[in-house]
Each structure stands twice: as C-alpha cells, then as structure tokens.
Amino acid sequence: METQLYFQMAQLEKQHWWFVARRTIVNHLLKRIPLSTPNQILEVGCGTGGNLALLAQYGQVYALELNEIARQFASQSHCAQVVAGALPDNIPFEPEQFDLVVLLDVLEHLEADSLSLQALLPFLKNQGWLLITVPALPYLWSQHDENHHHYRRYLKTQLQETVTNAGYRVIMLNYFNFWLFPVIVATRYWKRFRHQSDDDLVLPPPWLNKLLAKLFASERYFINWLPFPTGVSLILVAQKSN
C-alpha cells in the first residue's frame, strides 16, 4: 500500500463511514462465533490498528503487520501486542496459539493468498476460527486497487475455493456493502469516465458520513440469512478442518 495511505487511514478509520460500518458488521459476526474463554486472537495485517479495540473485547489480541509506519500507529492503541511479520513465511507465534484469526481486507494484498492461509493453519487451535473480508468483483477494479497494491478482487466462488483448498471449512460467506452498491459502482464509473482521482479515503460531510455508516451497517441484520446477490465486498467465516 502507498505509504501516505497509512497516514490517511490513521486519521480517518475511527470515523469514516466505511470503516465504522465494517467494524459494526464484524462485531455482529464475532458475537455469534462460539469462542472459548479466555481466548487469543490474531489480526493479520492490522494496518494502523483501527480494529484492535473491537477485537480486544473478545480476548487477548496479537497483531501482525509488515509496514513499520503502520505498526507504530497500531501500537499506540495499547490494545494488542503488535509485531513485525508477513505471510506466508514470517509468522512469529506459537503453534496452536489462536482461537481466531482475522484478515480484514488483507488477502487481496497477498500474491500467494492460498499459501498464506495454509501457513496460518498451524497457528490455529483445533476447531479454530477464521474471519475474512475482501474486495469483490474484478470488474470493479479501479485506481483505488492500484493505490492499495491489490493483486485481485474476488468472486464469491473464488474466495470459497481459495479458503477451502487452504484447509478450512466455510461456515458463512456473503457479499456485503450491497445497499450502496449501485451508488458506488456509478461513482467509480463516472470518475473513470471523467479521469478523476478514485480516492475513497475522504471524509464526507458529517450528515452524509453518518447516513452512509447507518445504511451500510444495517446489513448486519440480514448477512447471516439473506444471500446478497452482489456487493462491493465479501465476508467469510470459516473453521479449521480436522
């Protein structure tokens, strides 16, 4: 990811509608995962640490982050032990240490996505859990993906196959950011037509930011039982296979 984006994320991820709503939806799913107590959680690619306070409500949190600037920001949260590392070859933890591994918009940054998920398996306890979000739909590829150094956007079947082949059993998989999908698609194509910058890390006016957050976050009430036909992103819950 471009270095300046970490500074933008550190400033915006606590209040920007997209980050706020994603945390709300993730929290909704975490409440339904039967984690043991106490438990240990690993966030891979924690970025500047915007999710650590949420995850800390569910157990002791460790965070893995390659970028030094991001690690410095994440460490300021005091919610997790933040260490340097990278997938698939540098995971400085103990075997079967974690009850839950979380990758929130991280897998698309990894060239070897399936191999990286396989590498995490030994660090999950028996029947340990995996929670993933990724950007969806290759035709939505834009300058945003270039700036964030993405390798891909996923189809639903593609993500399921990647996770299953890596040794996990998929429990729940759905598109999300569905309500706002038409607006986001139209905006991206309009900017592409006008050759305008595709910068999503801009805070809208407060009233609009609050409205967008509420609309997006309301999908949590449907995500477990209503298969959305499409969406800007995908969310998956899986369990380590025996």
Side-chain angles (χ1 to χ4, degrees), residues 1 6 9 42-49 52 62-75 81-87 90-93 104-106 109:
M1 194 160 70
Y6 289 112
M9 286 180 63
L42 172 63
E43 183 179 11
V44 177
C46 68
T48 55
L52 297 178
Y62 297 80
L64 190 70
E65 175 55 50
L66 176 64
N67 185 272
E68 182 178 359
I69 294 172
R71 286 200 307 274
Q72 292 174 1
F73 280 118
S75 296
Q81 180 180 330
V82 183
V83 301
L87 297 179
N90 184 10
I91 310 174
F93 298 107
L104 300 180
D105 287 80
V106 170
H109 294 271

